[in-house]
Amino acid sequence: MSSTAPAVWDEEVSAAVERLTTAAENEYYNPYQTFDWPEGIPEGALWMSEDLMTVHGTDAAAELTREQYLALAKWESVNFYSLNVHGIRELMQEVVARIHAPGYEIPTPFFHHFLGEENEHMWFFAEFCLRYGGKLYPNRAMSFGDQKRSALFDNFIVFSRILIFEQIVDHFNSRMAGDAALPETIRAINRVHHQDESRHIAFGAQLVRALWDRLREAGDEQELAAARQYIEKYVNASIQQLYSVDVYRDAGIPEPFAFRTRLLADPARGPVHDAIVSRTTAFYRRIGVLAPKAA
């Protein structure tokens, strides 16, 4: 994808960059001195909020033993942080390709803070996985075989991927940060990430809005249709990554592929998916990418 951007940034983007850069400087912390890493997570503890687990609300949940259920919570937690590591690595590569590049003079000051904070997030998520899970799950994200299009289209997609990833992650972060049923170590890493992501999401939303405005002004109906289709596909693919055969296998669940298929087909999961992506779909409807919600 092209790292060169046409001049698309308006006064709203400039104001957001100034405001969020100042906030990042004022709220800076040293993550390497922030966390207390205990020797282990207490036996029998939940590692993920129950309403965020992929079995929540399903008939399959009642069929699990307590041991399987707790194991599932553990490995879904490790999978979630592994997804963060892989997602952060991808978004950092895209931002590095654009920092100080022609056309990115306005957002570049915040890019520096963004990259520094995301590098630190990747470190503490990986640290959690390796300390308490003994591994990172592999990256199984699917490629959509992106077709080469205009620089405006490419950059809209890049920053949309970043924004959607961050919004979905923050749904989990904000819930787990406030869940008294979880160990403090888990609450702490979610709480810290949520605090930083609030700035990143505000920044990303301004970039995506400005890029979409210019894409519409360019008037290429094929690109507009392709952009809309891509966003829908990417949102769905992001949800599906939460359902991990590797996780179900590690939790001791028989026939993990069939178990995943069963969960995804369970009608109880639809409203949960809608809640996870509600901020994303509301944003893309508001700026005119997705169709308005049916009455």
Side-chain angles (χ1 to χ4, degrees):
M1 290 185 174
S2 172
S3 61
T4 301
V8 301
W9 317 120
D10 52 29
E11 291 184 2
E12 287 186 63
V13 173
S14 298
V17 169
E18 183 176 352
R19 181 181 74 256
L20 296 169
T21 298
T22 299
E25 292 169 356
N26 291 340
E27 298 169 18
Y28 180 74
Y29 62 94
N30 185 338
Y32 305 103
Q33 299 175 351
T34 296
F35 301 103
D36 293 322
W37 299 106
E39 286 299 312
I41 304 296
E43 289 294 324
L46 280 168
W47 288 41
M48 177 171 275
S49 297
E50 294 187 82
D51 56 336
L52 298 178
M53 293 171 61
T54 59
V55 296
H56 179 68
T58 68
D59 293 338
E63 299 171 10
L64 299 178
T65 66
R66 185 61 178 171
E67 181 181 23
Q68 288 173 324
Y69 187 80
L70 290 174
L72 180 61
K74 170 182 176 177
W75 293 116
E76 289 206 328
S77 185
V78 172
N79 182 56
F80 173 65
Y81 305 128
S82 298
L83 290 173
N84 274 268
V85 171
H86 301 313
I88 290 169
R89 183 174 59 239
E90 175 189 329
L91 65 85
M92 286 183 66
Q93 290 169 346
E94 297 290 3
V95 173
V96 165
R98 289 162 172 80
I99 193 168
H100 290 293
Y104 283 95
E105 292 82 2
I106 288 176
T108 280
F110 189 74
F111 281 165
H112 283 284
H113 294 285
F114 179 92
L115 288 168
E117 291 170 358
E118 291 297 352
N119 180 58
E120 292 164 351
H121 299 163
M122 183 164 55
W123 170 76
F124 64 68
F125 283 132
E127 186 73 7
F128 180 91
C129 292
L130 296 173
R131 276 178 179 264
Y132 306 123
K135 64 180 177 182
L136 288 165
Y137 280 111
N139 184 8
R140 302 202 185 282
M142 295 178 63
S143 171
F144 293 135
D146 305 339
Q147 181 179 347
K148 183 66 177 177
R149 295 184 181 271
S150 70
L152 269 175
F153 178 91
D154 290 346
N155 287 294
F156 170 75
I157 294 302
V158 163
F159 286 103
S160 285
R161 287 171 69 104
I162 293 172
L163 179 62
I164 293 166
F165 166 77
E166 291 182 320
Q167 288 175 327
I168 290 175
V169 165
D170 194 56
H171 175 85
F172 282 71
N173 292 155
S174 57
R175 172 71 181 97
M176 287 195 279
D179 189 348
L182 303 182
E184 176 54 27
T185 301
I186 292 174
R187 296 181 67 187
I189 62 174
N190 282 279
R191 181 168 58 247
V192 168
H193 195 243
H194 171 62
Q195 291 167 355
D196 288 344
E197 288 305 283
S198 62
R199 292 191 300 274
H200 295 188
I201 290 169
F203 175 69
Q206 287 292 349
L207 297 191
V208 168
R209 176 203 49 82
L211 286 162
W212 177 249
D213 286 346
R214 300 306 176 267
L215 196 60
R216 285 195 301 184
E217 289 171 6
D220 187 322
E221 292 301 327
Q222 286 189 333
E223 286 204 334
L224 292 173
R228 290 185 168 100
Q229 183 181 48
Y230 192 103
I231 297 305
E232 290 179 350
K233 287 172 60 179
Y234 189 72
V235 169
N236 291 334
S238 298
I239 288 291
Q240 295 214 9
Q241 284 192 81
L242 300 170
Y243 295 79
S244 168
V245 170
D246 298 321
V247 163
Y248 303 142
R249 184 181 295 113
D250 285 345
I253 296 172
E255 301 183 15
F257 284 95
F259 189 77
R260 180 179 188 273
T261 300
R262 180 183 176 189
L263 292 182
L264 283 167
D266 194 303
R269 298 303 296 164
V272 177
H273 297 168
D274 291 343
I276 292 171
V277 301
S278 61
R279 179 160 49 163
T280 296
T281 52
F283 169 76
Y284 281 97
R285 284 172 179 148
R286 185 167 65 251
I287 67 171
V289 176
L290 298 181
K293 188 175 183 179

